[in-house]
Amino acid sequence: LEEVVEDVVDYEPWMDDNGRVPYGVEFDEKDVMCTKHPEVWLDPNDVKEEERLREEMEKKRKAEEEEKARLKAELAAASKKAATAAAAAPTKTKSKKKDGPSPLAGA
């Protein structure tokens, strides 16, 4: 005696290779079809949880990218401001005295 459990899912065109395989396609866990349609063999709650986690990770990644862009813009603005301030500041030059020989020159 063997117990068979079947899950009935809604029809989608890929399930019979768009009509080319009248009784449906078969694939195992190593087939690419499994990765494209995990809803066939995963619990719907697991699929929803995975999607929720994926969305959270995507939001975190976007937030990190926005923060990096903001910091980069702030750094560029600060550099530009410093360069402008340096260009506006008068330059100091050393003047040489020509008032005669140095007191240490003859020693």
Side-chain angles (χ1 to χ4, degrees), residues 56-73:
E56 282 181 14
M57 290 178 64
E58 184 66 22
K59 285 180 184 178
K60 285 181 184 178
R61 186 187 61 78
K62 285 183 180 180
E64 288 174 356
E65 286 178 357
E66 289 172 359
E67 180 67 15
K68 284 181 183 178
R70 184 185 64 78
L71 290 174
K72 187 175 182 181

Side-chain angles (χ1 to χ4, degrees), residues 74-95:
E74 285 179 4
L75 181 61
S79 296
K80 187 175 181 180
K81 186 176 180 180
T84 304
T91 58
K92 296 182 180 179
T93 59
K94 293 183 179 180
S95 62

Side-chain angles (χ1 to χ4, degrees), residues 9-70:
V9 295
D10 294 331
Y11 169 80
E12 293 184 31
W14 64 266
M15 293 178 175
D16 64 357
D17 198 16
N18 296 312
R20 291 187 283 270
V21 181
Y23 295 105
V25 295
E26 291 184 17
F27 54 90
D28 63 7
E29 71 276 359
K30 295 176 185 171
D31 195 335
V32 175
M33 190 71 74
C34 275
T35 58
K36 290 184 179 179
H37 302 284
E39 68 275 6
V40 172
W41 54 277
L42 288 178
D43 186 325
N45 293 330
D46 292 341
V47 173
K48 289 178 184 177
E49 180 66 17
E50 182 68 27
E51 288 175 358
R52 185 187 65 76
L53 291 173
R54 188 174 294 130
E55 289 173 1
E56 282 181 14
M57 290 178 64
E58 184 66 22
K59 285 180 184 178
K60 285 181 184 178
R61 186 187 61 78
K62 285 183 180 180
E64 288 174 356
E65 286 178 357
E66 289 172 359
E67 180 67 15
K68 284 181 183 178
R70 184 185 64 78

